[in-house]
């Protein structure tokens, strides 16, 4: 009887000892991982990872911390200009978190370069860079843990909002001082003040309607092309697929845009405006009929060509848009027969 009791007690001791020992090993391993991550973060705000580090400190349990990783391709042979721009913003975000008073081991920032961790790219079936992923402290990443770069841009402020949404960690983005803007503004004001002083006895140019019209036109073209959106969202200049090397300058969605796209739209709008100005001048000026004919043909050509290209961009972003370039050509063919354009070819 005593032997059975002792055997039962021994079995119970073994039963409770093994889980306690396993739990102790798990806590020790977790403590070592957190200590190592904190040591790396103290040296670099963005921890550089390869395949081994990624599997050990991100994929393998246990883990009680979140990791925000930027998958990128920064080597010169990759020619990824967007990756460098995104890396700068990511560094700003990571530094803002690392040197804040609220810094804890709850969130770490890391990066995986394609040339140093191509196996990680293959593991995650990733074929584009830069890409931002959040690996939560518990469970697997969800769809919302992938940052929508094409929609939100890679500005540090936008990344901080996304991190706060995924981890409940509020990061106040602190950028290093940039004196380029104030210096440029001061230089511009100095130039304007100098010109006004040199011509202080003849300030008629301030009342020149052409100067103010040109200035207003430039401002309108800049605003209508989407430059303010670029300033707020901070989108990439263009997108290059690291697998195919193909560069896209026009975003395929109506909810986002590239910086290069706004420059193209600005150029096209300016060309259409120039064509309209030439048509107006041809219809109202007192020049000889030959020059007015040239101006009229040039104006029609500019408007038809560049407005057709604008429609092509619009159709590429808004799928299902019904109008094509031939509708523009038909419209302008009808306009040629109206009295407003016919007066360009008729001598008064």
């Amino acid at each position: 009887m005593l032997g059975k009791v002792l055997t039962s007690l021994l079995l119970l001791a073994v039963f409770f000892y093994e889980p306690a020992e396993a739990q102790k090993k798990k806590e020790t391993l977790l403590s070592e991982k957190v200590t190592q991550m904190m040591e790396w973060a103290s040296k670099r705000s963005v921890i550089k990872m390869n395949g081994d580090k990624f599997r050990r400190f991100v994929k393998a349990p246990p883990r009680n911390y979140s990791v925000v990783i930027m998958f990128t391709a920064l080597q010169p042979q990759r020619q990824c200009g967007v990756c460098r721009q995104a890396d700068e913003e990511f560094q700003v975000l990571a530094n803002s978190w690392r040197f804040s008073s609220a810094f804890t081991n709850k969130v770490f920032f890391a990066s995986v370069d394609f040339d140093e961790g191509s196996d990680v790219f293959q593991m995650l079936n990733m074929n584009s860079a830069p890409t931002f992923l959040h690996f939560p402290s518990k469970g697997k990443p969800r769809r919302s843990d992938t940052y929508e770069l094409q929609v939100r841009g890679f500005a540090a402020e936008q990344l901080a909002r996304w991190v706060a949404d995924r981890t409940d960690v509020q990061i106040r983005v602190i950028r290093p001082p940039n004196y380029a803007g104030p210096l440029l503004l001061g230089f511009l004001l100095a130039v304007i003040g100098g010109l006004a002083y040199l011509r202080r006895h003849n300030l008629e140019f301030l009342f020149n309607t052409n100067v103010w019209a040109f200035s207003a036109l430039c401002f309108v073209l800049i605003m209508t092309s989407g430059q303010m959106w670029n300033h707020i969202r901070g989108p990439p200049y263009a997108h290059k697929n690291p697998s195919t090397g193909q560069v896209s300058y026009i975003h395929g969605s109506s909810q986002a845009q590239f910086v290069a796209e706004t420059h193209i739209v600005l150029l096209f709008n300016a060309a259409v405006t120039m064509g309209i100005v030439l048509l107006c001048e041809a219809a109202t000026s007192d020049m000889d009929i030959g020059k007015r004919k040239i101006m009229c043909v040039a104006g029609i050509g500019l408007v038809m060509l560049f407005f057709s290209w604008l429609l092509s961009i619009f159709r590429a972003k808004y799928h299902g848009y019904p109008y094509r370039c031939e509708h523009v050509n038909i419209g302008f063919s009808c306009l040629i027969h109206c009295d407003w354009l016919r007066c360009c070819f008729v001598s008064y």
Side-chain angles (χ1 to χ4, degrees), residues 24 54 63 68 86 103 106 110 129 143 151-152 156 199 223 237 278:
K24 184 177 180 180
F54 177 81
R63 179 164 53 85
V68 179
F103 174 72
K106 187 176 181 180
R143 183 176 181 181
V151 176
R152 307 177 68 172
R199 301 192 60 177
M223 292 296 104
Y237 187 82
L278 288 176

Side-chain angles (χ1 to χ4, degrees), residues 260-296:
E261 178 181 336
T262 62
H263 294 167
I264 295 172
V265 171
L266 173 63
L267 176 64
F268 288 0
N269 284 336
V272 172
T273 304
M274 178 60 68
I276 297 297
V277 171
L278 288 176
L279 289 174
C280 292
E281 287 294 319
T284 59
S285 68
D286 296 331
M287 294 186 295
D288 61 89
I289 190 64
K291 292 182 179 179
R292 293 168 62 190
K293 287 182 178 180
I294 295 175
M295 293 175 63
C296 184

